[in-house]
Amino acid sequence: MCQVDEEYHDHITRHDAPRASTSCVKCKEACAAVVVRVGDAYCRICFKEFFTHKFRAMLGKTRLVFPGEKVLLAVSGGPSSSSMLALVQEGLSQKAHKKLRFTPGIVYIDEGGAVGLSMEERQKTVTLLQTVFKDTGFPFYIVPLEQVLDLPTSVLVAMPPSHRPSDTYKAAVHHFLQSDSSVCVTSAEQENMASVETSHTLALQRVLSSAQTLTARDELLSTLRQHLLVHKARTEGYSKLMMGDSCTRLAVKLLTSISLGRGAQVAQDTGFSDSRYGDIITVRPMRDYTAKEIAFYNHLFNVSSVATPTLDTKAGDKASIQRLTESFVTKLQVNFPSTVSTIYRTSEKLQTTHRNTPPNQNRDTPPDQHGDACLLCMCTMDASAEKASAFQATLISEELSVLKLHDAPTPNQQRSASVAPCSSSDCGRETNDGRCCSSDQDAAVTDFRALLCYSCQRTVKEMSSVKSLPLYIQSEAQLRHRRIQMKEQIHDFLLEDDDDDDDD
Amino acid sequence: MLPACGDNMAAPVRIILEFGGGAELLFDGMKKHHVTLAGQEQPWDIKQLLVWIQRNLLKERPELFVQGDSVRPGILVLINDADWELMGELEYQLQDQDNIVFISTLHGG
Ligand SMILES: [Zn+2]
Ligand SMILES: [Zn+2]
């Protein structure tokens, strides 16, 4: 029989509540409350210790978040990111060696407009979260997703890393200890939600609804969200972006990524750190926690989270690839409790060879300058590699079928149409050279796709028109096209040289 | 407080049901429900409770909450703040004033 005499919150004041007969595997005294793994049942107190220790250990082991560094926490209000916020808060209040030493800020992206919530409903959620954020004393930014429509094209350009090579972790620790170590936050930086115009919300909804499948819409939404987060981090002077993806989410993401043809990007999509933007490094410190651990921690220690509807809320198991994969993993997890951890450990071993051993390019040069980062997901392009891949085969067969359909315009004609494609709505109008303008549209799509990785091409393919993408993406696409065309034009005048670095 | 005993019908069982992690969206967004289960000869267990919830509280998309005899994979169950795995899962016999919590760990509830 085991005894629990710590302070229990509110309603448990009665004496006869049935308790588990198992004792905690750690302290061997208190009643177990959570089964973390098969056979590993922890009591409340030991579970809390286990949970908070993991966070410190993860940040300590990886040594990527420097003392004193400005870190932007992306909090969606969901269980995982809310837990992450609580852990950071807890970590900063610790003494001495247990103390976290970075300077946090919070960003919340309000996606209510994307799922068709009314302004009142959105404001209600924002108010709830504001209370939580204010309590932390950290600076916070509440950003409506509509702002993605006004992003500059520069968000699609990778910047040089913000840390000079001399900035070693040790030096940073030393520097931090020399300076005053108390973290003070000016509440002046707390930013309420900017007002949103209805026309903006409608424009955002048009962007998303142009994607015909839930799978593509999900992908598009997460791409746009990512761009906005990176932009916010850059403009507010943060160098790290902390995401709350749990081990369970990442296991689902890993399998989803593979199903969506993102095999080459999987390491960046699910690893602890992700440097695709160069100056802003994304870190995922919650990747050691299962969704179950998080749910228990939040419930037992009153970490409030806000359930906001997402695109696939109340959608069935087969509504999208993301949803189907999630259902597959969670169902398997019921009978094989090591499913998630097995997938997760596999993801740890994966890495992209491209980034770590650049074959012929300068380490400091962002991939974009060589034109090999995907326009949408900013990942290193997988497409350039092999001529005989399945991907190339798909492309060729698609090109052939397009040519057949539209009286085989010459490749030259296709190319020239790319800069100003006409909208498909007034299709039927004949253009000067006697072709229907819908083939211009197709040409634009084909050209546009050349700037995307395989997976993003699939997403764009599900869209009714590339014209419905936000302006900053279209402008950057045109910029890149012009650069490619210019390169082609001057190609003959360039001296042949094996070394790529000579042309800067 | 002693459990009601006797060989006729047991007394009604009053319990608190909580839904979280997005599962509440299936119950009109209501997180906490005080419910009374009518007295019956056999004591109530979680398995019967799930059927009761499906009939009385859950009005739409039951497959998003229950699957077969049990809860949908990805929904956690806590009995008086302890993992139901420690309490006998579906066979656990409900007692008056029990607190049963269902938390969805699925994305978007
Ligand atoms: Zn213990
Ligand atoms: Zn891409």
Side-chain angles (χ1 to χ4, degrees):
Chain A
M1 192 56 210
C2 49
Q3 207 77 49
V4 174
D5 44 16
E6 3 121 358
E7 13 52 281
Y8 249 94
H9 54 269
D10 56 15
H11 54 90
I12 309 191
T13 42
R14 62 189 205 281
H15 26 78
D16 64 338
R19 299 214 173 281
S21 49
T22 325
S23 305
C24 167
V25 292
K26 198 101 180 272
C27 64
K28 318 258 193 268
E29 274 173 28
C31 286
V34 192
V35 181
V36 174
R37 280 174 302 265
V38 186
D40 275 359
Y42 286 52
C43 72
R44 257 173 71 93
I45 300 299
C46 293
F47 174 66
K48 188 175 186 190
E49 176 56 33
F50 157 85
F51 197 84
T52 49
H53 172 77
K54 247 201 306 201
F55 194 72
R56 275 198 309 276
M58 178 62 105
L59 291 174
K61 184 178 74 187
T62 49
R63 294 195 152 211
L64 269 167
V65 178
F66 283 37
E69 188 172 7
K70 280 181 84 180
V71 176
L72 191 58
L73 314 174
V75 178
S76 68
S80 202
S81 57
S82 298
S83 216
M84 175 174 80
L85 178 60
L87 283 167
V88 169
Q89 245 182 303
E90 146 107 30
L92 287 169
S93 68
Q94 290 288 327
K95 299 247 154 48
H97 68 284
K98 282 187 171 180
K99 191 176 159 73
L100 295 177
R101 290 179 179 136
F102 56 84
T103 311
I106 306 167
V107 61
Y108 167 72
I109 309 270
D110 169 27
E111 296 173 15
V115 290
L117 293 187
S118 71
M119 219 45 224
E120 290 74 47
E121 288 170 300
R122 295 172 68 176
Q123 196 54 56
K124 217 173 119 194
T125 310
V126 166
T127 312
L128 277 172
L129 287 167
Q130 260 170 340
T131 332
V132 177
F133 296 167
K134 273 195 184 124
D135 277 350
T136 65
F138 305 156
F140 65 83
Y141 315 96
I142 294 186
V143 187
L145 184 62
E146 280 85 347
Q147 283 189 10
V148 83
L149 300 169
D150 301 322
L151 285 185
T153 55
S154 60
V155 78
L156 299 172
V157 180
M159 302 287 181
S162 53
H163 275 286
R164 294 166 300 283
S166 60
D167 277 345
T168 62
Y169 188 80
K170 245 185 185 165
V173 173
H174 185 71
H175 177 79
F176 183 79
L177 292 176
Q178 296 284 301
S179 61
D180 184 16
S181 59
S182 66
V183 180
C184 64
V185 172
T186 51
S187 56
E189 279 185 275
Q190 302 193 336
E191 195 179 278
N192 292 342
M193 185 160 85
S195 61
V196 182
E197 285 184 27
T198 324
S199 62
H200 262 65
T201 307
L202 291 173
L204 176 70
Q205 285 169 352
R206 266 198 304 279
V207 171
L208 289 167
S209 60
S210 74
Q212 324 261 296
T213 59
L214 187 55
T215 303
R217 224 172 297 148
D218 256 357
E219 282 300 293
L220 190 60
L221 178 61
S222 67
T223 304
L224 298 180
R225 182 197 300 127
Q226 191 63 29
H227 291 166
L228 193 52
L229 285 173
V230 168
H231 176 73
K232 200 69 198 168
R234 276 180 181 161
T235 49
E236 301 294 340
Y238 289 84
S239 47
K240 291 277 185 322
L241 187 59
M242 214 175 239
M243 308 287 292
D245 299 282
S246 69
C247 163
T248 313
R249 278 256 25 88
L250 288 173
V252 172
K253 205 162 149 188
L254 175 87
L255 295 187
T256 305
S257 285
I258 291 169
S259 319
L260 291 174
R262 297 185 59 78
Q265 293 90 351
V266 129
Q268 278 184 306
D269 283 354
T270 62
F272 174 75
S273 77
D274 176 348
S275 57
R276 75 183 76 170
Y277 289 91
D279 56 340
I280 308 291
I281 313 279
T282 304
V283 289
R284 303 184 180 95
M286 299 300 285
R287 69 191 302 272
D288 242 357
Y289 296 94
T290 63
K292 177 177 177 177
E293 289 165 13
I294 290 166
F296 266 87
Y297 183 80
N298 290 357
H299 179 79
L300 293 176
F301 300 100
N302 297 315
V303 177
S304 55
S305 56
V306 183
T308 44
T310 61
L311 285 180
D312 46 14
T313 293
K314 292 190 192 173
D317 283 349
K318 288 173 189 153
S320 66
I321 291 180
Q322 294 88 341
R323 200 71 183 181
L324 185 61
T325 314
E326 182 183 40
S327 133
F328 169 72
V329 171
T330 43
K331 273 182 189 155
L332 209 55
Q333 177 78 6
V334 171
N335 293 317
F336 304 95
S338 55
T339 301
V340 165
S341 57
T342 306
I343 301 172
Y344 160 72
R345 270 191 231 112
T346 310
S347 81
E348 271 187 323
K349 293 183 186 114
L350 297 170
Q351 51 173 342
T352 9
T353 49
H354 199 111
R355 264 298 171 110
N356 296 340
T357 52
N360 53 3
Q361 80 183 43
N362 194 333
R363 249 191 99 85
D364 296 331
T365 319
D368 169 68
Q369 291 187 5
H370 292 263
D372 63 351
C374 168
L375 178 69
L376 283 184
C377 72
M378 295 289 290
C379 267
T380 317
M381 291 273 254
D382 46 2
S384 58
E386 289 146 65
K387 284 233 159 78
S389 62
F391 168 53
Q392 289 296 332
T394 324
L395 264 190
I396 289 166
S397 84
E398 258 164 30
E399 260 165 42
L400 287 175
S401 58
V402 167
L403 289 179
K404 223 184 213 165
L405 273 172
H406 297 286
D407 279 332
T410 65
N412 273 348
Q413 282 174 310
Q414 273 201 329
R415 180 138 302 244
S416 63
S418 68
V419 180
C422 57
S423 79
S424 58
S425 57
D426 51 6
C427 180
R429 189 169 52 86
E430 298 286 309
T431 48
N432 293 346
D433 50 354
R435 286 186 294 128
C436 166
C437 68
S438 73
S439 70
D440 289 358
Q441 177 71 21
D442 287 333
V445 173
T446 314
D447 267 5
F448 194 85
R449 280 206 245 144
L451 302 171
L452 303 172
C453 71
Y454 175 72
S455 172
C456 292
Q457 288 188 24
R458 310 310 298 168
T459 303
V460 165
K461 196 168 180 267
E462 298 295 341
M463 296 187 68
S464 49
S465 160
V466 289
K467 288 282 273 181
S468 42
L469 283 168
L471 207 61
Y472 71 99
I473 297 177
Q474 294 188 54
S475 313
E476 175 65 16
Q478 286 179 15
L479 274 173
R480 291 194 193 182
H481 269 307
R482 251 173 263 148
R483 220 176 299 147
I484 292 170
Q485 281 172 354
M486 223 141 75
K487 250 190 185 159
E488 275 173 10
Q489 282 164 11
I490 61 169
H491 182 258
D492 294 340
F493 304 101
L494 291 174
L495 293 173
E496 292 290 330
D497 199 320
D498 289 334
D499 196 343
D500 259 358
D501 293 333
D502 278 9
D503 58 10
D504 315 311
Chain B
M1 190 165 78
L2 289 164
C5 41
D7 19 29
N8 30 349
M9 294 276 280
V13 188
R14 287 160 302 162
I15 57 169
I16 300 163
L17 295 177
E18 279 181 65
F19 302 96
E24 69 269 28
L25 296 175
L26 296 168
F27 300 88
D28 282 335
M30 259 212 357
K31 285 194 166 183
K32 211 165 189 169
H33 302 246
H34 293 261
V35 303
T36 307
L37 305 171
Q40 57 179 26
E41 277 178 48
Q42 297 299 314
W44 282 86
D45 60 17
I46 299 283
K47 201 184 211 169
Q48 291 168 315
L49 175 66
L50 290 177
V51 177
W52 186 90
I53 290 175
Q54 208 175 335
R55 283 194 193 138
N56 296 278
L57 292 180
L58 191 66
K59 294 282 154 55
E60 56 169 337
R61 314 293 307 275
E63 76 278 9
L64 297 185
F65 188 70
V66 283
Q67 267 171 34
D69 277 350
S70 194
V71 286
R72 178 189 184 191
I75 293 181
L76 303 173
V77 187
L78 284 81
I79 300 168
N80 299 325
D81 274 352
D83 199 332
W84 77 329
E85 288 179 39
L86 297 162
M87 310 289 281
E89 302 192 16
L90 291 170
E91 271 81 56
Y92 173 80
Q93 296 187 352
L94 292 172
Q95 307 210 2
D96 204 47
Q97 303 300 321
D98 271 351
N99 177 235
I100 315 290
V101 182
F102 299 90
I103 306 175
S104 172
T105 62
L106 298 160
H107 192 56

